[in-house]
Short mmCIF file of all heavy atoms in Angstrom, two decimals:
data_model
loop_
_atom_site.label_atom_id
_atom_site.label_comp_id
_atom_site.label_asym_id
_atom_site.label_seq_id
_atom_site.Cartn_x
_atom_site.Cartn_y
_atom_site.Cartn_z
N GLY A 1 -12.05 3.09 6.24
CA GLY A 1 -11.73 2.24 7.39
C GLY A 1 -10.72 1.23 7.03
O GLY A 1 -9.85 1.48 6.19
N GLN A 2 -10.70 0.05 7.67
CA GLN A 2 -9.70 -1.00 7.37
C GLN A 2 -10.19 -2.05 6.37
O GLN A 2 -11.31 -2.59 6.61
CB GLN A 2 -9.27 -1.72 8.69
CG GLN A 2 -8.48 -0.87 9.66
CD GLN A 2 -8.21 -1.75 10.90
OE1 GLN A 2 -9.09 -1.87 11.78
NE2 GLN A 2 -7.05 -2.21 11.00
N GLU A 3 -9.50 -2.22 5.31
CA GLU A 3 -9.76 -3.37 4.42
C GLU A 3 -9.28 -4.62 5.05
O GLU A 3 -8.15 -4.60 5.72
CB GLU A 3 -9.15 -3.11 3.05
CG GLU A 3 -9.29 -1.74 2.46
CD GLU A 3 -10.77 -1.31 2.22
OE1 GLU A 3 -11.69 -2.25 2.15
OE2 GLU A 3 -11.05 -0.09 2.09
N ARG A 4 -10.00 -5.73 4.88
CA ARG A 4 -9.59 -6.97 5.60
C ARG A 4 -9.51 -8.16 4.75
O ARG A 4 -10.34 -8.36 3.84
CB ARG A 4 -10.62 -7.25 6.70
CG ARG A 4 -10.65 -6.26 7.83
CD ARG A 4 -11.69 -6.57 8.85
NE ARG A 4 -11.73 -5.58 9.91
CZ ARG A 4 -10.95 -5.71 11.06
NH1 ARG A 4 -10.18 -6.80 11.19
NH2 ARG A 4 -10.94 -4.76 11.99
N GLY A 5 -8.43 -8.96 5.01
CA GLY A 5 -8.33 -10.29 4.34
C GLY A 5 -8.46 -10.31 2.88
O GLY A 5 -7.80 -9.53 2.18
N SER A 6 -9.40 -11.14 2.37
CA SER A 6 -9.56 -11.27 0.94
C SER A 6 -10.15 -10.05 0.24
O SER A 6 -10.15 -9.91 -0.96
CB SER A 6 -10.43 -12.48 0.65
OG SER A 6 -11.75 -12.30 1.26
N SER A 7 -10.69 -9.03 1.01
CA SER A 7 -11.18 -7.87 0.43
C SER A 7 -10.13 -6.78 0.19
O SER A 7 -10.48 -5.75 -0.49
CB SER A 7 -12.31 -7.23 1.36
OG SER A 7 -11.68 -6.68 2.52
N ILE A 8 -8.94 -6.96 0.65
CA ILE A 8 -7.90 -5.97 0.51
C ILE A 8 -7.59 -5.73 -0.96
O ILE A 8 -7.67 -4.54 -1.43
CB ILE A 8 -6.60 -6.36 1.24
CG1 ILE A 8 -6.86 -6.34 2.74
CG2 ILE A 8 -5.46 -5.38 0.83
CD1 ILE A 8 -5.61 -6.88 3.54
N VAL A 9 -7.24 -6.71 -1.72
CA VAL A 9 -6.88 -6.54 -3.14
C VAL A 9 -7.95 -5.96 -3.99
O VAL A 9 -7.83 -5.03 -4.77
CB VAL A 9 -6.22 -7.81 -3.74
CG1 VAL A 9 -6.16 -7.74 -5.27
CG2 VAL A 9 -4.86 -8.06 -3.15
N PRO A 10 -9.22 -6.53 -3.86
CA PRO A 10 -10.35 -5.96 -4.61
C PRO A 10 -10.56 -4.43 -4.30
O PRO A 10 -10.88 -3.67 -5.20
CB PRO A 10 -11.53 -6.77 -4.27
CG PRO A 10 -10.91 -8.08 -3.89
CD PRO A 10 -9.59 -7.78 -3.17
N ALA A 11 -10.36 -4.06 -3.03
CA ALA A 11 -10.56 -2.65 -2.66
C ALA A 11 -9.46 -1.82 -3.26
O ALA A 11 -9.74 -0.71 -3.80
CB ALA A 11 -10.57 -2.52 -1.18
N LEU A 12 -8.22 -2.31 -3.28
CA LEU A 12 -7.16 -1.58 -3.92
C LEU A 12 -7.43 -1.40 -5.45
O LEU A 12 -7.24 -0.31 -5.97
CB LEU A 12 -5.78 -2.25 -3.73
CG LEU A 12 -5.23 -2.38 -2.31
CD1 LEU A 12 -4.03 -3.19 -2.28
CD2 LEU A 12 -4.94 -0.96 -1.81
N GLN A 13 -7.90 -2.43 -6.06
CA GLN A 13 -8.17 -2.34 -7.52
C GLN A 13 -9.33 -1.45 -7.83
O GLN A 13 -9.21 -0.68 -8.82
CB GLN A 13 -8.52 -3.77 -7.99
CG GLN A 13 -7.36 -4.71 -8.05
CD GLN A 13 -7.81 -6.15 -8.45
OE1 GLN A 13 -8.72 -6.67 -7.88
NE2 GLN A 13 -7.09 -6.71 -9.40
N SER A 14 -10.40 -1.40 -7.01
CA SER A 14 -11.56 -0.65 -7.40
C SER A 14 -11.65 0.74 -6.83
O SER A 14 -12.31 1.61 -7.37
CB SER A 14 -12.81 -1.46 -6.97
OG SER A 14 -12.89 -1.61 -5.53
N VAL A 15 -10.95 1.01 -5.71
CA VAL A 15 -11.12 2.27 -4.97
C VAL A 15 -9.85 3.09 -4.86
O VAL A 15 -9.83 4.29 -5.07
CB VAL A 15 -11.71 1.96 -3.60
CG1 VAL A 15 -11.88 3.35 -2.77
CG2 VAL A 15 -13.04 1.22 -3.63
N TYR A 16 -8.77 2.44 -4.54
CA TYR A 16 -7.55 3.21 -4.19
C TYR A 16 -6.67 3.45 -5.46
O TYR A 16 -6.33 4.59 -5.68
CB TYR A 16 -6.68 2.36 -3.17
CG TYR A 16 -7.38 2.30 -1.78
CD1 TYR A 16 -8.22 1.25 -1.49
CD2 TYR A 16 -7.08 3.19 -0.75
CE1 TYR A 16 -8.82 1.15 -0.29
CE2 TYR A 16 -7.70 3.18 0.47
CZ TYR A 16 -8.61 2.11 0.70
OH TYR A 16 -9.14 1.99 1.94
N TRP A 17 -6.32 2.41 -6.20
CA TRP A 17 -5.42 2.58 -7.39
C TRP A 17 -5.94 3.56 -8.42
O TRP A 17 -5.24 4.29 -9.08
CB TRP A 17 -5.07 1.26 -7.94
CG TRP A 17 -4.12 0.49 -7.06
CD1 TRP A 17 -3.15 0.93 -6.17
CD2 TRP A 17 -3.93 -0.97 -7.01
NE1 TRP A 17 -2.45 -0.03 -5.56
CE2 TRP A 17 -2.92 -1.25 -6.12
CE3 TRP A 17 -4.56 -2.00 -7.73
CZ2 TRP A 17 -2.56 -2.54 -5.79
CZ3 TRP A 17 -4.23 -3.32 -7.43
CH2 TRP A 17 -3.20 -3.60 -6.50
N PRO A 18 -7.28 3.54 -8.64
CA PRO A 18 -7.87 4.46 -9.67
C PRO A 18 -7.64 5.91 -9.40
O PRO A 18 -7.79 6.75 -10.28
CB PRO A 18 -9.34 4.15 -9.66
CG PRO A 18 -9.45 2.71 -9.23
CD PRO A 18 -8.40 2.54 -8.19
N ARG A 19 -7.17 6.28 -8.22
CA ARG A 19 -6.88 7.69 -7.87
C ARG A 19 -5.51 8.16 -8.17
O ARG A 19 -5.08 9.19 -7.81
CB ARG A 19 -7.26 7.92 -6.35
CG ARG A 19 -8.72 7.76 -6.11
CD ARG A 19 -9.13 7.86 -4.65
NE ARG A 19 -10.53 7.88 -4.47
CZ ARG A 19 -11.33 8.91 -4.51
NH1 ARG A 19 -10.83 10.08 -4.61
NH2 ARG A 19 -12.63 8.77 -4.36
N TYR A 20 -4.71 7.27 -8.84
CA TYR A 20 -3.35 7.62 -9.11
C TYR A 20 -3.13 7.47 -10.68
O TYR A 20 -3.70 6.63 -11.32
CB TYR A 20 -2.34 6.62 -8.47
CG TYR A 20 -2.29 6.82 -6.96
CD1 TYR A 20 -3.07 5.95 -6.11
CD2 TYR A 20 -1.47 7.69 -6.34
CE1 TYR A 20 -3.07 6.06 -4.71
CE2 TYR A 20 -1.38 7.80 -4.90
CZ TYR A 20 -2.22 7.01 -4.14
OH TYR A 20 -2.12 7.09 -2.77
N ASP A 21 -2.17 8.20 -11.22
CA ASP A 21 -1.76 7.97 -12.57
C ASP A 21 -1.08 6.59 -12.62
O ASP A 21 -0.23 6.27 -11.77
CB ASP A 21 -0.61 9.07 -12.99
CG ASP A 21 -1.31 10.40 -13.26
OD1 ASP A 21 -2.40 10.43 -13.87
OD2 ASP A 21 -0.76 11.45 -12.94
N ARG A 22 -1.49 5.79 -13.58
CA ARG A 22 -1.01 4.43 -13.59
C ARG A 22 -1.04 3.90 -15.01
O ARG A 22 -1.69 4.41 -15.87
CB ARG A 22 -1.92 3.54 -12.68
CG ARG A 22 -3.37 3.49 -13.17
CD ARG A 22 -4.40 3.06 -12.08
NE ARG A 22 -5.68 2.83 -12.60
CZ ARG A 22 -6.53 3.85 -12.85
NH1 ARG A 22 -6.17 5.09 -12.67
NH2 ARG A 22 -7.69 3.54 -13.31
N GLY A 23 -0.35 2.84 -15.24
CA GLY A 23 -0.28 2.15 -16.51
C GLY A 23 -0.02 0.76 -16.34
O GLY A 23 -0.32 0.16 -15.26
N GLN A 24 0.48 0.03 -17.38
CA GLN A 24 0.68 -1.38 -17.25
C GLN A 24 1.74 -1.83 -16.26
O GLN A 24 1.66 -2.93 -15.70
CB GLN A 24 1.07 -1.91 -18.66
CG GLN A 24 -0.04 -1.76 -19.66
CD GLN A 24 0.42 -2.15 -21.06
OE1 GLN A 24 1.68 -2.50 -21.34
NE2 GLN A 24 -0.50 -2.24 -22.01
N ARG A 25 2.62 -0.90 -15.90
CA ARG A 25 3.66 -1.25 -14.97
C ARG A 25 3.31 -0.80 -13.53
O ARG A 25 4.07 -1.15 -12.60
CB ARG A 25 5.04 -0.54 -15.38
CG ARG A 25 5.52 -1.02 -16.74
CD ARG A 25 6.66 -0.15 -17.23
NE ARG A 25 7.76 -0.11 -16.24
CZ ARG A 25 8.74 0.82 -16.28
NH1 ARG A 25 8.76 1.72 -17.27
NH2 ARG A 25 9.71 0.81 -15.45
N GLY A 26 2.14 -0.18 -13.41
CA GLY A 26 1.79 0.27 -12.02
C GLY A 26 1.59 1.67 -11.90
O GLY A 26 1.45 2.47 -12.86
N ILE A 27 1.64 2.15 -10.60
CA ILE A 27 1.46 3.62 -10.35
C ILE A 27 2.72 4.31 -10.76
O ILE A 27 3.84 3.95 -10.49
CB ILE A 27 1.25 3.75 -8.79
CG1 ILE A 27 -0.06 3.13 -8.38
CG2 ILE A 27 1.16 5.26 -8.43
CD1 ILE A 27 -0.30 3.07 -6.85
N ALA A 28 2.52 5.51 -11.42
CA ALA A 28 3.56 6.30 -11.93
C ALA A 28 4.08 7.21 -10.83
O ALA A 28 3.69 8.40 -10.73
CB ALA A 28 3.13 7.09 -13.15
N ALA A 29 4.95 6.66 -9.98
CA ALA A 29 5.38 7.42 -8.79
C ALA A 29 6.73 6.85 -8.29
O ALA A 29 7.00 5.69 -8.50
CB ALA A 29 4.38 7.45 -7.74
N HIS A 30 7.51 7.69 -7.63
CA HIS A 30 8.65 7.22 -6.94
C HIS A 30 8.39 7.29 -5.41
O HIS A 30 7.93 8.30 -4.92
CB HIS A 30 9.87 8.12 -7.24
CG HIS A 30 11.11 7.80 -6.37
ND1 HIS A 30 11.82 6.61 -6.63
CD2 HIS A 30 11.63 8.42 -5.30
CE1 HIS A 30 12.79 6.55 -5.75
NE2 HIS A 30 12.65 7.66 -4.89
N LEU A 31 8.72 6.22 -4.71
CA LEU A 31 8.48 6.16 -3.29
C LEU A 31 9.83 6.16 -2.62
O LEU A 31 10.69 5.32 -2.90
CB LEU A 31 7.74 4.94 -2.90
CG LEU A 31 7.29 4.78 -1.43
CD1 LEU A 31 6.03 4.03 -1.34
CD2 LEU A 31 8.35 4.12 -0.54
N GLU A 32 10.09 7.09 -1.68
CA GLU A 32 11.30 7.15 -0.86
C GLU A 32 10.89 6.82 0.56
O GLU A 32 9.99 7.48 1.12
CB GLU A 32 11.88 8.51 -1.00
CG GLU A 32 13.16 8.61 -0.10
CD GLU A 32 13.78 10.08 -0.08
OE1 GLU A 32 13.01 11.01 -0.45
OE2 GLU A 32 14.88 10.21 0.37
N ALA A 33 11.60 5.87 1.21
CA ALA A 33 11.38 5.54 2.60
C ALA A 33 12.46 6.25 3.39
O ALA A 33 13.67 6.15 3.14
CB ALA A 33 11.53 3.95 2.74
N VAL A 34 12.04 6.94 4.41
CA VAL A 34 12.95 7.72 5.28
C VAL A 34 12.72 7.32 6.75
O VAL A 34 11.58 6.99 7.08
CB VAL A 34 12.71 9.25 5.08
CG1 VAL A 34 13.66 10.06 5.93
CG2 VAL A 34 12.85 9.66 3.60
N ASN A 35 13.73 7.39 7.51
CA ASN A 35 13.59 7.04 8.98
C ASN A 35 13.11 5.65 9.16
O ASN A 35 12.24 5.36 9.99
CB ASN A 35 12.70 8.02 9.67
CG ASN A 35 13.27 9.40 9.66
OD1 ASN A 35 14.46 9.69 9.88
ND2 ASN A 35 12.39 10.38 9.43
N PHE A 36 13.66 4.67 8.38
CA PHE A 36 13.25 3.27 8.51
C PHE A 36 13.62 2.73 9.85
O PHE A 36 14.72 2.85 10.35
CB PHE A 36 13.90 2.48 7.44
CG PHE A 36 13.37 1.04 7.29
CD1 PHE A 36 12.22 0.76 6.53
CD2 PHE A 36 14.00 0.02 7.94
CE1 PHE A 36 11.74 -0.51 6.47
CE2 PHE A 36 13.52 -1.24 7.87
CZ PHE A 36 12.40 -1.55 7.13
N HIS A 37 12.60 1.98 10.46
CA HIS A 37 12.88 1.43 11.81
C HIS A 37 12.19 0.10 11.96
O HIS A 37 11.06 -0.12 11.46
CB HIS A 37 12.27 2.39 12.85
CG HIS A 37 12.56 1.94 14.30
ND1 HIS A 37 11.69 1.08 14.95
CD2 HIS A 37 13.53 2.27 15.19
CE1 HIS A 37 12.16 0.85 16.17
NE2 HIS A 37 13.27 1.58 16.36
N THR A 38 12.86 -0.84 12.55
CA THR A 38 12.24 -2.17 12.83
C THR A 38 12.40 -2.39 14.36
O THR A 38 13.24 -2.01 15.02
CB THR A 38 12.98 -3.27 12.11
OG1 THR A 38 14.30 -3.39 12.54
CG2 THR A 38 12.93 -3.02 10.59
N ARG A 39 11.40 -3.23 14.81
CA ARG A 39 11.40 -3.59 16.20
C ARG A 39 10.87 -5.08 16.30
O ARG A 39 9.79 -5.38 15.78
CB ARG A 39 10.45 -2.64 16.97
CG ARG A 39 10.47 -2.86 18.54
CD ARG A 39 9.32 -2.10 19.24
NE ARG A 39 9.52 -0.68 18.99
CZ ARG A 39 10.28 0.14 19.75
NH1 ARG A 39 10.99 -0.39 20.75
NH2 ARG A 39 10.28 1.42 19.52
N SER A 40 11.58 -5.92 17.05
CA SER A 40 11.16 -7.21 17.37
C SER A 40 10.10 -7.04 18.49
O SER A 40 10.32 -6.37 19.45
CB SER A 40 12.34 -8.13 17.83
OG SER A 40 11.87 -9.33 18.20
N PHE A 41 9.00 -7.79 18.25
CA PHE A 41 7.86 -7.63 19.20
C PHE A 41 7.21 -9.00 19.41
O PHE A 41 6.25 -9.33 18.70
CB PHE A 41 6.93 -6.55 18.53
CG PHE A 41 5.79 -6.19 19.38
CD1 PHE A 41 5.92 -5.35 20.45
CD2 PHE A 41 4.49 -6.71 19.17
CE1 PHE A 41 4.87 -4.97 21.27
CE2 PHE A 41 3.43 -6.31 19.98
CZ PHE A 41 3.60 -5.47 21.09
N GLY A 42 7.68 -9.72 20.46
CA GLY A 42 7.12 -11.01 20.68
C GLY A 42 7.44 -11.92 19.48
O GLY A 42 8.59 -12.01 19.03
N SER A 43 6.38 -12.50 18.95
CA SER A 43 6.51 -13.30 17.74
C SER A 43 6.35 -12.50 16.50
O SER A 43 6.42 -13.10 15.38
CB SER A 43 5.52 -14.52 17.73
OG SER A 43 4.22 -13.95 17.67
N GLN A 44 6.20 -11.19 16.65
CA GLN A 44 5.98 -10.36 15.47
C GLN A 44 7.03 -9.32 15.33
O GLN A 44 7.99 -9.25 16.20
CB GLN A 44 4.62 -9.65 15.63
CG GLN A 44 3.47 -10.58 15.78
CD GLN A 44 2.13 -9.85 15.91
OE1 GLN A 44 2.06 -8.91 16.76
NE2 GLN A 44 1.10 -10.17 15.22
#
């Protein structure tokens, strides 16, 4: 489901990040962003 507020980082540490190859510098992966798009939406 959705992690919320102060529970986000603990959930990443205990549940999500352990499923990736990782070391002291973080997850061992390259992320490429494609089709990047932004939209002004009221105050957001």
Side-chain angles (χ1 to χ4, degrees):
Q2 290 178 282
E3 315 297 342
R4 292 177 179 271
S6 60
S7 70
I8 293 175
V9 167
L12 293 175
Q13 290 175 310
S14 63
V15 180
Y16 294 87
W17 287 335
R19 294 175 175 268
Y20 294 92
D21 286 320
R22 64 201 187 280
Q24 295 178 351
R25 297 169 58 193
I27 296 172
H30 174 74
L31 185 149
E32 180 186 13
V34 182
N35 296 319
F36 187 85
H37 183 274
T38 63
R39 186 189 300 273
S40 177
F41 186 74
S43 65
Q44 301 177 312

